[in-house]
Amino acid sequence: MAEAARPFAGLSEVSIPDDTPVEGEMSTPVGTSGRDDELSTLDEPVKDTVLRDLRAVGNKFVHVLYPKKSSSLLRDWDLWGPLLLCVTLGLLLHGGSSDQGQGGPQFTEVFVLIWFGSVVITLNSKLLGGTLSFFQSLCVLGYCVLPLTVALAVCRLVLLGGSGKVSFAIRLAVVTASFGWSTFASTAFLTDSQPPNRKALVVYPIFLFYFVIGWVVLTFSP
């Protein structure tokens, strides 16, 4: 019973000669360190980090101006571009006045309108079975405000020459084209992630969201 209780007792008496070579191989996975170095930005200069982020934001702006299917736009999502557009739109609209003499939209109102509308559309998309993540959808909706932001800048330049019928016709054409472009660009990225029988339920809130922003831009007067 004692020997059964000590099954490895005899191993202590085994001796290994000193001249017996120890053979074996130690290896590490190939390519792991290179990828870790590529992804790590701890030792990267701040200038390089800022420039890389700016290039990424500019690349997404190009995707909005020339909508096409791209996995990189959705995979490398960020909210810097939408934040920049929201701030720019709010500053351009701030301090305006409507035709009725009432104060124009304040910066906070524009900020809340854009972000609250984006969140509602994103939640609607997720509830309808969308495959995009919450922040990917916010990224797309925010970046697609770019055409309307450009339209507001053009409208302000047009208003410098007066606010007559010709001015209104030009602003209406610019805002209508920008509204259509924003809607087209956003749906080009979002509808493919939805079930085929529910795409209309996703497009309608997007249409309404950009229509409201376009209406605010059109009715603005400094």
Side-chain angles (χ1 to χ4, degrees):
M1 296 294 292
E3 294 180 356
R6 300 175 59 190
F8 302 104
L11 293 179
S12 61
E13 300 176 0
V14 178
S15 61
I16 302 177
D18 296 336
D19 58 348
T20 302
V22 179
E23 298 180 354
E25 181 180 356
M26 297 180 64
S27 61
T28 57
V30 179
T32 304
S33 60
R35 181 170 177 80
D36 291 340
D37 294 339
E38 181 181 354
L39 295 178
S40 177
T41 59
L42 294 178
D43 299 330
E44 185 181 40
V46 177
K47 178 183 177 181
D48 294 342
T49 303
V50 173
L51 291 177
R52 188 185 67 251
D53 292 341
L54 289 177
R55 285 193 295 267
V57 171
N59 184 43
K60 292 181 178 64
F61 283 151
V62 172
H63 280 289
V64 173
L65 295 177
Y66 301 97
K68 59 181 180 180
K69 295 181 180 179
S70 174
S71 59
S72 61
L73 177 64
L74 299 177
R75 183 181 66 250
D76 303 328
W77 61 267
D78 68 80
L79 298 180
W80 290 113
L83 179 62
L84 176 63
L85 292 174
C86 183
V87 171
T88 303
L89 196 65
L91 291 176
L92 290 175
L93 288 171
H94 181 69
S97 59
S98 62
D99 295 336
Q100 290 77 17
Q102 299 176 351
Q106 299 298 316
F107 177 83
T108 306
E109 297 174 356
V110 176
F111 197 88
V112 171
L113 170 65
I114 294 178
W115 287 103
F116 180 76
S118 299
V119 170
V120 170
I121 294 175
T122 300
L123 292 176
N124 176 70
S125 175
K126 295 297 292 182
L127 292 175
L128 291 175
T131 57
L132 293 182
S133 69
F134 182 83
F135 290 105
Q136 284 177 329
S137 182
L138 282 181
C139 174
V140 171
L141 292 171
Y143 270 100
C144 290
V145 178
L146 174 63
L148 289 170
T149 305
V150 175
L152 177 59
V154 174
C155 289
R156 292 203 63 147
L157 294 177
V158 173
L159 286 171
L160 293 178
S163 57
K165 294 182 178 180
V166 176
S167 173
F168 178 79
I170 296 175
R171 288 185 290 128
L172 178 62
V174 172
V175 172
T176 301
S178 301
F179 158 71
W181 199 264
S182 293
T183 306
F184 171 74
S186 59
T187 53
F189 295 109
L190 294 179
T191 53
D192 288 341
S193 64
Q194 301 294 327
N197 58 340
R198 296 181 179 179
K199 288 185 177 182
L201 297 176
V202 177
V203 172
Y204 174 72
I206 296 175
F207 175 89
L208 188 61
F209 172 66
Y210 291 117
F211 177 81
V212 172
I213 298 177
W215 179 259
V216 172
V217 172
L218 180 62
T219 57
F220 170 81
S221 60

